[in-house]
Amino acid sequence: MEQQIIHTQRWAITLAEELLKMEADRIVVLTDCNVARQDWLRRGLCELGKILPIRIDSIEIGAGEEYKNLETLVSLWKRFSESGLTRRSIVVNIGGGVVSDIGGFAAATFKRGVRFVNVPTTLLAMADAAIGGKTGIDFNGLKNEVGAFAPARKVIIDTSTLSTLPEQELRSGFAEVVKMTIVTGCRDLYNRLVEPDALHNEAILAAGVRYASDEKEKIVREDPFDSKGVRALLNFGHTAGHAYESYAAEIGHPISHGEGVAHGMLAALRLSHERNGLPIEDVEEYEEKILRRYYQPLPFGKEAAERLEELMGHDKKNKNAGEINWILIDRI
Amino acid sequence: MEQQIIHTQRWAITLAEELLKMEADRIVVLTDCNVARQDWLRRGLCELGKILPIRIDSIEIGAGEEYKNLETLVSLWKRFSESGLTRRSIVVNIGGGVVSDIGGFAAATFKRGVRFVNVPTTLLAMADAAIGGKTGIDFNGLKNEVGAFAPARKVIIDTSTLSTLPEQELRSGFAEVVKMTIVTGCRDLYNRLVEPDALHNEAILAAGVRYASDEKEKIVREDPFDSKGVRALLNFGHTAGHAYESYAAEIGHPISHGEGVAHGMLAALRLSHERNGLPIEDVEEYEEKILRRYYQPLPFGKEAAERLEELMGHDKKNKNAGEINWILIDRI
């Protein structure tokens, strides 16, 4: 099932137009409590209501990964059921990855599949999480243990919604944008991302989001169920990154996904230099102009090496237990 | 995703062979407590264990539609998670429609999709429920309110497992076999189904199951998400049938799905005679040799007409509220 990525500067109007084309009999808008209190959201929903001649319901969930759980899922199913959602209705997920993950899964499993549209409002969701059909909840203490491959029919991206995003969230998503330019070899855009203060330059950020989201869509289209290995490319920097995240949490100094990935990419670039002949200048440029500029040092040193190797061996993306799969490159 | 239907007379050996081909790293066998106590099941699992060099876990759920609920679903996810099921594992649903509906849904949503195989053990499941990818649970008082389209990779059908099936269940499934020969115009097989005591004739039953399951698979392949109207054919007799079921429940004399459909088919045949020129002899033959032979009269009379029409208007398969869609035929 194809997934249409739409870039816009007026998300509410674009959303209204797309929903009209989709002939929904009803809309449910899902947000989290952070997004719900933004002025741009209230204004947008108001515009939506003026254009759409159908009933629009709103559901708000708690903000943060800890709400991506069974309890929230069941509450969404219940709300859908009680409000009489039909298979012609559409769920609109406005928020970060948690909102599109759980809202997408709830929609995909209600009446065996209600259509949904994602409007990502974090950099991470725009560049990565909202695209590609991976939906689900954390369960039994494990991330995304329950879920489905179910693409949003449309992903509507408006980078103006990033204006209210906390700095920390911006940095977390930036790592994924940088990653995409590295793994797809888009040197031109990478050169802009290493410019001073690129993270706060609206034009550069918008270009980065547009590029990363379109590339992600292409990669996903080739491998919708993550079964052919094509998506492995997206794992660049994540082998070490996930291990850093886990270890940091173990020692009581948790780091964000973006921080883990940013440091993980340095490890992958270094290994790419040693094994694949990536010029050392590229490694140094990344370290100086991306990693040092936007990310804190890791909260541990060389003493972690043994445990990190162990953690990398447990990564669920490894085919065989104990084996570590690195994604390496030979040029940026 | 194609769904392979395999007819066999030694289900356990066939299952073992197929699982070997699928290179599973582990098997979970799901049954209900009725199936679990059958000798043929115990013998079969024993054979399975001898042939398969991998770990086999068993899970047993309560028997009956009332266990097709959220609580059972969550308990299955929990068992899958705790026993460390991976995306290379396979869930084997051995039982009637409840087992394949909930087991299929739990598998399809565990780690975004674990493969599953159905071994239907009721006539209804063999001819209908186990085939076609409709999985799910009842929720908020509504049937299949939560679920997904997720086909079993393989459906292994062995009619010898019907030997321990209660008469009432046999009759319920028989209606669907008869329906399939009518809507696909297979007069030859229909002629065998109207033979005296066809329901207890192993050869006729086996031929009926083989035909109905293969035809269902073909129809589903053309319309996997029930979106093109092709599957509507399968709804023959169900418009009135569902209304009969609902009304009978309302007045405190519940009837089985098969009974409802058997009577619903008479209504559809009569209307086909009136509107489409179906010979009256065909209507009479059905009434005498199928309906009267195997099914009790409906527990209500003409006084129900008004309420039945109302119920038919509510059928979720109707495109527009209040409109009643009848599937009619011009010959058997």
Side-chain angles (χ1 to χ4, degrees):
Chain A
M1 200 179 293
E2 67 270 46
Q3 185 168 47
Q4 197 188 355
I5 314 282
I6 301 169
H7 301 279
T8 177
Q9 291 176 299
R10 321 167 299 169
W11 68 269
I13 297 190
T14 305
L15 176 61
E17 286 166 358
E18 295 301 323
L19 291 172
L20 278 173
K21 280 189 227 160
M22 293 168 80
E23 299 185 348
D25 65 354
R26 185 178 312 179
I27 305 296
V28 173
V29 173
L30 180 71
T31 58
D32 68 24
C33 54
N34 279 343
V35 171
R37 66 164 196 253
Q38 305 298 335
D39 276 338
W40 55 258
L41 182 86
R42 276 192 285 255
R43 281 196 308 273
L45 290 184
C46 197
E47 283 184 282
L48 201 66
K50 279 184 202 148
I51 302 172
L52 284 181
I54 53 170
R55 176 170 154 190
I56 303 177
D57 293 335
S58 287
I59 305 179
E60 197 180 304
I61 61 172
E65 182 85 19
E66 65 268 36
Y67 291 96
K68 208 177 101 174
N69 61 19
L70 182 66
E71 202 184 330
T72 310
L73 174 68
V74 173
S75 77
L76 291 180
W77 282 338
K78 202 147 217 154
R79 287 286 298 273
F80 293 171
S81 184
E82 281 164 4
S83 69
L85 221 64
T86 76
R87 283 182 62 190
R88 286 184 54 211
S89 307
I90 294 176
V91 175
V92 180
N93 302 311
I94 307 182
V98 168
V99 170
S100 53
D101 275 12
I102 196 165
F105 184 56
T109 50
F110 187 71
K111 288 190 192 288
R112 297 200 192 97
V114 163
R115 295 171 294 174
F116 64 98
V117 170
N118 289 342
V119 183
T121 63
T122 67
L123 189 53
L124 190 62
M126 289 178 188
D128 190 18
I131 301 158
K134 287 192 176 177
T135 68
I137 56 167
D138 302 334
F139 180 79
N140 203 31
L142 294 158
K143 286 189 95 165
N144 302 312
E145 184 78 338
V146 165
F149 284 98
R153 295 303 169 108
K154 294 165 198 273
V155 181
I156 294 172
I157 299 180
D158 179 351
T159 49
S160 77
T161 62
L162 295 176
S163 60
T164 54
L165 196 69
E167 175 75 13
Q168 163 79 1
E169 293 256 5
L170 216 49
R171 290 179 180 189
S172 194
F174 194 64
E176 297 291 344
V177 175
V178 170
K179 178 199 78 181
M180 195 59 95
T181 62
I182 292 178
V183 295
T184 59
C186 183
R187 185 85 217 196
D188 284 355
L189 186 54
Y190 182 77
N191 285 342
R192 299 194 64 194
L193 297 176
V194 296
E195 284 178 21
D197 210 29
L199 182 64
H200 303 102
N201 179 317
E202 269 178 49
I204 296 179
L205 219 52
V209 163
R210 179 180 285 261
Y211 181 78
S213 53
D214 288 349
E215 288 297 309
K216 168 113 193 228
E217 194 276 329
K218 274 189 228 163
I219 290 170
V220 162
R221 209 190 311 146
E222 275 183 63
D223 185 13
F225 301 109
D226 201 359
S227 55
K228 296 180 193 163
V230 184
R231 280 195 180 190
L233 204 62
L234 300 174
N235 219 28
F236 182 78
H238 285 60
T239 310
H242 284 148
Y244 295 159
E245 270 185 86
S246 301
Y247 184 72
E250 279 180 15
I251 61 169
H253 292 285
I255 60 174
S256 76
H257 179 68
E259 280 174 305
V261 171
H263 284 281
M265 283 197 284
L266 180 64
L269 288 168
R270 278 187 181 144
L271 207 61
S272 297
H273 166 64
E274 287 164 24
R275 305 256 182 102
N276 280 28
L278 177 75
I280 188 69
E281 295 75 22
D282 285 339
V283 183
E284 289 166 354
E285 181 184 38
Y286 173 82
E287 188 170 9
E288 181 191 337
K289 298 185 175 170
I290 302 283
L291 190 63
R292 294 246 177 93
R293 221 175 242 166
Y294 303 115
Y295 303 92
Q296 298 285 321
L298 287 172
F300 46 80
K302 289 204 193 307
E303 79 286 357
E306 203 173 316
R307 176 73 185 130
L308 285 173
E309 200 160 315
E310 212 174 279
L311 285 165
M312 286 187 247
H314 284 160
D315 195 294
K316 70 177 167 200
K317 303 248 163 90
N318 294 332
K319 284 225 182 73
N320 300 308
E323 196 175 274
I324 303 173
N325 293 322
W326 285 87
I327 310 298
L328 301 179
I329 57 169
D330 54 7
R331 62 198 166 83
I332 284 188
Chain B
M1 201 180 292
E2 66 269 45
Q3 183 167 49
Q4 197 188 356
I5 313 281
I6 302 168
H7 301 279
T8 177
Q9 291 175 302
R10 323 167 297 169
W11 68 268
I13 297 191
T14 305
L15 176 61
E17 286 165 356
E18 295 301 324
L19 292 172
L20 278 173
K21 280 189 226 162
M22 293 169 81
E23 299 185 348
D25 65 355
R26 184 179 314 180
I27 305 296
V28 173
V29 173
L30 180 72
T31 57
D32 68 24
C33 55
N34 279 343
V35 172
R37 64 166 197 252
Q38 304 299 335
D39 276 339
W40 54 259
L41 183 86
R42 277 192 284 254
R43 280 197 307 273
L45 290 185
C46 196
E47 284 183 283
L48 202 65
K50 278 184 205 148
I51 302 171
L52 285 182
I54 53 172
R55 176 170 154 190
I56 303 177
D57 293 334
S58 288
I59 305 180
E60 197 180 305
I61 62 173
E65 182 86 18
E66 65 269 35
Y67 291 96
K68 207 177 101 174
N69 61 19
L70 182 66
E71 202 185 327
T72 310
L73 175 67
V74 173
S75 76
L76 291 180
W77 282 338
K78 200 147 219 153
R79 286 286 299 270
F80 293 172
S81 183
E82 280 165 2
S83 69
L85 221 63
T86 75
R87 284 181 63 191
R88 286 183 55 210
S89 307
I90 293 175
V91 174
V92 179
N93 302 311
I94 307 183
V98 168
V99 170
S100 51
D101 276 12
I102 195 165
F105 184 56
T109 50
F110 187 70
K111 288 189 192 287
R112 298 201 190 97
V114 163
R115 296 172 293 175
F116 64 98
V117 170
N118 289 342
V119 183
T121 63
T122 68
L123 190 52
L124 190 60
M126 289 177 189
D128 190 17
I131 301 158
K134 287 191 175 178
T135 67
I137 56 166
D138 303 334
F139 180 79
N140 203 30
L142 294 158
K143 286 189 94 165
N144 301 313
E145 184 77 339
V146 164
F149 285 98
R153 295 302 169 109
K154 294 164 197 272
V155 182
I156 294 171
I157 299 179
D158 179 351
T159 49
S160 77
T161 62
L162 296 174
S163 61
T164 53
L165 196 69
E167 176 75 12
Q168 164 78 1
E169 294 255 8
L170 216 49
R171 289 178 181 191
S172 195
F174 194 64
E176 297 290 346
V177 175
V178 170
K179 178 200 78 182
M180 194 60 95
T181 62
I182 292 179
V183 296
T184 57
C186 184
R187 185 86 218 191
D188 284 355
L189 185 54
Y190 182 77
N191 285 342
R192 299 194 64 195
L193 296 176
V194 296
E195 283 177 21
D197 210 29
L199 182 64
H200 303 104
N201 180 316
E202 268 178 50
I204 296 179
L205 220 51
V209 163
R210 179 179 284 260
Y211 182 78
S213 53
D214 288 348
E215 288 296 310
K216 167 114 193 228
E217 194 275 329
K218 274 189 229 164
I219 291 170
V220 162
R221 209 190 310 148
E222 276 184 62
D223 185 12
F225 300 109
D226 202 359
S227 55
K228 296 181 193 164
V230 183
R231 280 194 180 190
L233 203 64
L234 300 174
N235 218 29
F236 183 78
H238 284 59
T239 309
H242 283 149
Y244 295 159
E245 269 185 87
S246 301
Y247 185 73
E250 278 178 16
I251 60 170
H253 291 286
I255 61 174
S256 75
H257 178 70
E259 279 174 304
V261 170
H263 285 280
M265 282 198 283
L266 181 64
L269 289 168
R270 277 185 181 145
L271 206 62
S272 297
H273 166 65
E274 286 163 25
R275 304 254 182 104
N276 281 27
L278 177 76
I280 188 71
E281 295 74 22
D282 284 339
V283 183
E284 290 166 352
E285 182 184 38
Y286 173 82
E287 187 170 8
E288 182 192 337
K289 298 186 175 168
I290 301 282
L291 191 62
R292 294 247 177 91
R293 222 175 241 167
Y294 303 115
Y295 303 92
Q296 297 286 320
L298 288 171
F300 46 80
K302 289 204 192 308
E303 78 286 357
E306 204 174 314
R307 176 71 187 132
L308 286 172
E309 200 159 315
E310 214 175 276
L311 285 166
M312 286 187 246
H314 286 160
D315 195 295
K316 71 175 167 202
K317 302 252 163 88
N318 293 331
K319 283 227 181 74
N320 300 306
E323 196 175 272
I324 303 174
N325 293 321
W326 284 87
I327 310 296
L328 301 178
I329 57 168
D330 55 6
R331 61 198 167 81
I332 284 187

